[in-house]
């Protein structure tokens, strides 16, 4: 079911992973951001849009994680955009003959058979440095950074005061760093938070990739919470964060031990490089 969070902006949240698909209404149809995970959910979303008389005219994937690059035939054949780095990552993955097996390894087993992979990852990369999504609707600013995944982007729907944060600023998931082939994942994440902080005063509604919607008075609080977690991770400390440890209420089954794995990875990097992680 679609739920309006701002004028002309609606969301559909998946049941299992609390993924937020975002619908932005334009002149001739909608921009669909990170459309969902299960085939039945995406088919339901397509049906809701048909009932509204709103075809999908463009799509956008905030980053190349499997749960953000899915699509369903009933959503149509609109161009699906991402940053140049996001699209390059997907091209590289799809060039492997065994890509479906690789992707399947990371799917939640309880819904794996319900996740359609036929249109997986077919992303058109926008030229590097593109500042706006090319579509006939409200201006959507691309805030690209190198925090969570290659070519990760947050989107600011400026006329609506809505920040679509991708897999950042969640109230249920800790920051997950891009630890693959990056020189300084800690500083990359902190730099991304500074970029989001620079846009925060223009935000009335925050939509994370997973979790609950935040309002204007929560945007800076979530940035501060993510920054505190990353600082604790950098210092190999114990974060006072409700998203970590026995009190955490989300992600235990499909992301068990994520904090510990990040600590261990960064410790190995420091030992290998003799430098901060």
């Amino acid at each position: 079911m679609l739920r309006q969070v701002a004028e002309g902006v609606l969301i559909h949240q998946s049941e299992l992973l609390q993924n937020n698909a975002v619908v932005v209404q334009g002149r001739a149809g909608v921009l669909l951001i990170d459309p969902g995970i299960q085939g039945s959910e995406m088919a339901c979303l397509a049906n809701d849009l048909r009932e509204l008389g709103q075809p999908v005219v463009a799509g956008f994937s905030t980053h190349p994680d499997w749960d953000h690059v899915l699509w369903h035939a009933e959503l149509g054949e609109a161009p699906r955009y991402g940053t140049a780095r996001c699209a390059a990552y997907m091209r590289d993955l799809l060039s492997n003959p065994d890509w479906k097996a690789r992707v399947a390894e990371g799917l939640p087993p309880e819904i794996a058979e319900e996740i359609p992979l036929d249109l997986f990852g077919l992303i058109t990369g926008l030229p590097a440095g593109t500042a706006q999504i090319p579509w006939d609707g409200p201006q959507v600013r691309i805030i690209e950074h190198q925090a969570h995944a290659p070519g990760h982007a947050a989107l600011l729907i400026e006329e609506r005061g809505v920040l679509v944060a991708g897999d950042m600023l969640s109230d249920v998931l800790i920051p997950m760093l891009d630890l693959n082939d990056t020189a300084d994942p800690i500083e990359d994440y902190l730099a991304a938070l500074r970029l989001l902080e620079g846009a925060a005063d223009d935000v009335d509604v925050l939509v994370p990739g997973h979790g609950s919607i935040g309002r204007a008075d929560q945007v800076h609080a979530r940035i501060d919470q993510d920054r505190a977690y990353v600082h604790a991770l950098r210092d190999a400390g114990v974060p006072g964060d409700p998203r970590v440890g026995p009190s955490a209420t989300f992600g235990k089954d499909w992301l068990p031990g994520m904090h510990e794995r990040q600590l261990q990875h960064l410790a190995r990097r420091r030992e290998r490089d003799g430098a901060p992680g």
Side-chain angles (χ1 to χ4, degrees):
M1 178 183 297
L2 284 168
R3 175 165 65 95
Q4 183 168 316
V5 296
E7 181 185 352
V9 181
L10 307 97
I11 67 163
H12 179 284
Q13 188 174 84
S14 68
E15 183 175 352
L16 179 64
L17 307 185
Q18 296 184 29
N19 289 66
N20 291 311
V22 182
V23 170
V24 186
Q25 295 177 319
R27 294 177 182 85
V30 305
L31 167 67
L32 179 55
I33 304 165
D34 294 348
I37 54 175
Q38 291 177 257
S40 59
E41 291 174 335
M42 286 185 276
C44 176
L45 174 57
N47 185 62
D48 287 346
L49 292 173
R50 276 193 298 270
E51 290 184 358
L52 292 173
Q54 296 279 304
V56 179
V57 296
F60 192 90
S61 291
T62 57
H63 61 289
D65 284 354
W66 70 265
D67 54 327
H68 295 262
V69 292
L70 296 164
W71 200 255
H72 194 284
E74 291 195 27
L75 295 170
E77 299 179 355
R80 299 160 54 191
Y81 299 116
T83 65
R85 291 191 70 212
C86 172
Y89 182 94
M90 291 312 309
R91 285 196 303 273
D92 183 62
L93 173 61
L94 294 174
S95 69
N96 291 286
D98 64 343
W99 71 265
K100 279 193 176 182
R102 294 189 186 189
V103 172
E105 290 176 358
L107 302 180
E110 58 266 55
I111 61 168
E113 294 183 359
E114 302 171 45
I115 297 173
L117 296 180
D118 292 343
L119 300 174
F120 177 86
L122 303 180
I123 305 300
T124 297
L126 296 171
T130 299
Q132 305 277 349
I133 293 178
W135 82 299
D136 188 19
Q139 288 192 346
V140 181
R141 193 200 328 165
I142 300 169
I143 306 174
E144 184 177 356
H145 45 262
Q146 310 309 327
H148 171 71
H152 194 285
L155 302 174
L156 181 61
I157 308 165
E158 297 177 294
E159 298 170 36
R160 306 290 184 253
V162 176
L163 179 66
V164 181
D167 274 2
M168 299 180 69
L169 308 187
S170 170
D171 62 329
V172 295
L173 290 179
I174 58 173
M176 290 177 282
L177 280 60
D178 182 3
L179 299 171
N180 299 313
D181 302 318
T182 54
D184 192 344
I186 291 287
E187 180 50 38
D188 285 346
Y189 213 101
L190 294 174
L193 291 174
R194 290 193 292 272
L195 283 175
L196 299 183
E197 195 166 40
D201 289 342
D202 298 322
V203 175
D204 297 316
V205 178
L206 165 65
V207 185
H210 305 263
S212 62
I213 305 305
R215 298 295 167 177
D217 60 345
Q218 298 172 302
V219 178
H220 282 287
R222 291 203 191 180
I223 292 171
D224 290 343
Q225 184 179 43
D226 276 8
R227 181 182 288 119
Y229 173 83
V230 175
H231 284 164
L233 197 61
R234 177 194 62 193
D235 300 335
V238 179
D241 194 311
R243 299 170 295 181
V244 181
S247 63
T249 59
F250 189 77
K252 291 180 180 178
D253 296 330
W254 56 281
L255 282 176
M258 175 56 70
H259 173 64
E260 290 74 16
R261 292 205 300 275
Q262 293 195 120
L263 276 176
Q264 292 165 6
H265 187 105
L266 291 168
R268 289 194 298 269
R269 287 176 68 105
R270 284 191 288 269
E271 183 176 342
R272 182 193 67 199
D273 300 335

